[in-house]
């Protein structure tokens, strides 16, 4: 039986049709996850929610215990992970308000624990990460958006940066030269840890703002939050449709 785990903001657990039934506090060998896992039912199927930054959004991207989060989700039986991420848009198609389902990622982070096997590594612990996002789950996401009459762009390269500060204009120019379309702070090592844990993983990215230097406008958190608030209902609709498609 498939169980969908959603990693994103705590606001995703608050909408019609979703009933939160339990909060699971999971201990892991890697420390505490960001919060208790919220279990609920949606469209007659069970779903698990984990707020990546904690219930009060007080954990910065570089301090998230990614290993504990992925391990906790696997421990309770999650088979598929949908990561909801707010990102900056770099290339022309990815304007504020756009939804995207990336297919590639470039990791610019540093100092984050990247593997479950760091302490006891063997040669067979290497993973194939050629395609970092699960193809089937990406297709389910894209169909879920289309069924709702929404557009989610198919394919993008996500630049995972360290944070918590936003980037300089020069850094964004470098990311664009590297072929990146989106920039965010939480995509790695979340994606590779899910692969190590043998969990299907895909990202639904919400473009919150143009990345630094793309326009002459000064970036403000108020503007970013307003854009995100406008897109969260679409994200919730897509999640509901994903639940309808998951089999098992």
């Amino acid at each position: 039986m498939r169980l969908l785990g959603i990693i994103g903001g705590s606001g995703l657990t608050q909408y019609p049709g979703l009933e939160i039934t339990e909060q699971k506090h999971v201990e892991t060998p890697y420390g505490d996850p960001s919060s208790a896992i919220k279990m609920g039912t949606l469209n007659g199927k069970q779903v698990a929610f984990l707020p990546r930054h904690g219930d009060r959004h007080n954990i910065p991207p570089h301090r998230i215990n990614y290993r504990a989060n992925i391990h906790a989700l696997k421990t309770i039986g999650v088979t598929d992970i949908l990561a909801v991420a707010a990102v900056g848009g770099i290339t022309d198609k990815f304007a504020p308000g756009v939804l995207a389902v990336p297919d590639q990622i470039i990791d610019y982070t540093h100092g984050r624990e990247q593997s479950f096997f760091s302490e006891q590594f063997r040669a067979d612990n290497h993973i194939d990460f050629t395609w970092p996002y699960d193809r089937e789950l990406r297709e389910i996401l894209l169909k879920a958006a289309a069924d709702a009459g929404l557009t989610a762009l198919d394919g993008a390269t996500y630049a995972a940066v360290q944070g918590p500060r936003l980037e300089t204009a020069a850094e964004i120019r470098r990311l664009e030269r590297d072929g990146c379309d989106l920039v965010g702070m939480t995509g790695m090592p979340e994606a590779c840890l899910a692969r190590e844990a043998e969990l299907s993983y895909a990202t639904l990215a919400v473009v919150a703002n143009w990345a630094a230097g793309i326009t002459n406008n000064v970036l403000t958190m108020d503007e970013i939050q307003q854009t995100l608030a406008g897109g969260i209902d679409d994200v919730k609709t897509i999640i509901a449709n994903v639940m309808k498609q998951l089999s098992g």
Side-chain angles (χ1 to χ4, degrees):
M1 181 175 179
R2 296 175 75 169
L3 174 61
L4 181 67
I6 297 169
I7 304 178
S10 58
L12 292 174
T13 63
Q14 303 162 9
Y15 58 104
L18 173 67
E19 179 185 2
I20 299 297
T21 57
E22 182 184 3
Q23 295 204 45
K24 290 190 175 184
H25 298 269
V26 182
E27 295 182 359
T28 86
Y30 310 101
D32 294 328
S34 295
S35 80
I37 299 172
K38 294 155 182 59
M39 305 299 300
T41 56
L42 181 64
N43 290 327
K45 296 184 179 180
Q46 195 173 41
V47 62
F49 290 89
L50 180 60
R52 185 187 283 115
H53 295 280
D55 289 321
R56 300 187 306 278
H57 203 102
N58 61 335
I59 306 173
H62 65 297
R63 299 291 295 274
I64 292 169
N65 192 337
Y66 295 95
R67 290 201 298 181
N69 285 351
I70 298 298
H71 188 276
L73 290 170
K74 185 177 177 70
T75 297
I76 66 165
V78 163
T79 57
D80 302 83
I81 294 176
L82 169 55
V84 178
V87 299
I90 297 175
T91 49
D92 291 345
K93 292 192 299 184
F94 299 95
V98 164
L99 300 174
V101 181
D103 60 349
Q104 281 295 329
I105 194 165
I106 300 178
D107 188 6
Y108 299 91
T109 67
H110 52 85
R112 302 182 184 187
E113 183 51 68
Q114 296 279 326
S115 175
F116 289 116
F117 307 118
S118 293
E119 289 77 19
Q120 294 180 318
F121 185 78
R122 305 187 310 268
D124 61 357
N125 293 144
H126 290 292
I127 56 169
D128 181 355
F129 207 51
T130 307
W131 298 98
Y133 301 103
D134 183 77
R135 183 177 66 178
E136 181 199 10
L137 194 53
R138 289 187 68 255
E139 290 174 352
I140 288 173
L141 264 176
L142 292 164
K143 185 176 187 303
D147 288 349
L150 299 170
T151 298
L153 297 185
D154 179 3
T157 296
Y158 176 120
V161 297
Q162 183 70 358
R165 66 170 176 83
L166 298 176
E167 300 73 43
T168 68
E171 287 170 333
I172 295 300
R173 290 196 298 271
R174 181 187 71 159
L175 298 183
E176 186 172 15
R177 289 194 299 269
D178 286 351
C180 299
D181 303 291
L182 308 169
V183 58
M185 302 176 188
T186 60
M188 285 291 285
E190 197 172 84
C192 66
L193 290 168
R195 180 64 54 85
E196 283 191 347
E198 299 182 328
L199 302 176
S200 299
Y201 179 95
T203 290
L204 177 59
V206 185
V207 182
N209 56 277
W210 285 115
I214 300 298
T215 72
N216 293 324
N217 297 336
V218 176
L219 292 175
T220 67
M221 289 311 300
D222 284 345
E223 179 183 352
I224 291 172
Q225 292 299 332
Q226 287 176 11
T227 304
L228 289 176
I232 199 66
D233 286 340
D234 290 343
V235 170
K236 291 175 180 178
T237 299
I238 292 171
I239 290 172
N241 282 354
V242 167
M243 294 299 299
K244 293 177 184 177
Q245 291 188 59
L246 283 178
S247 59

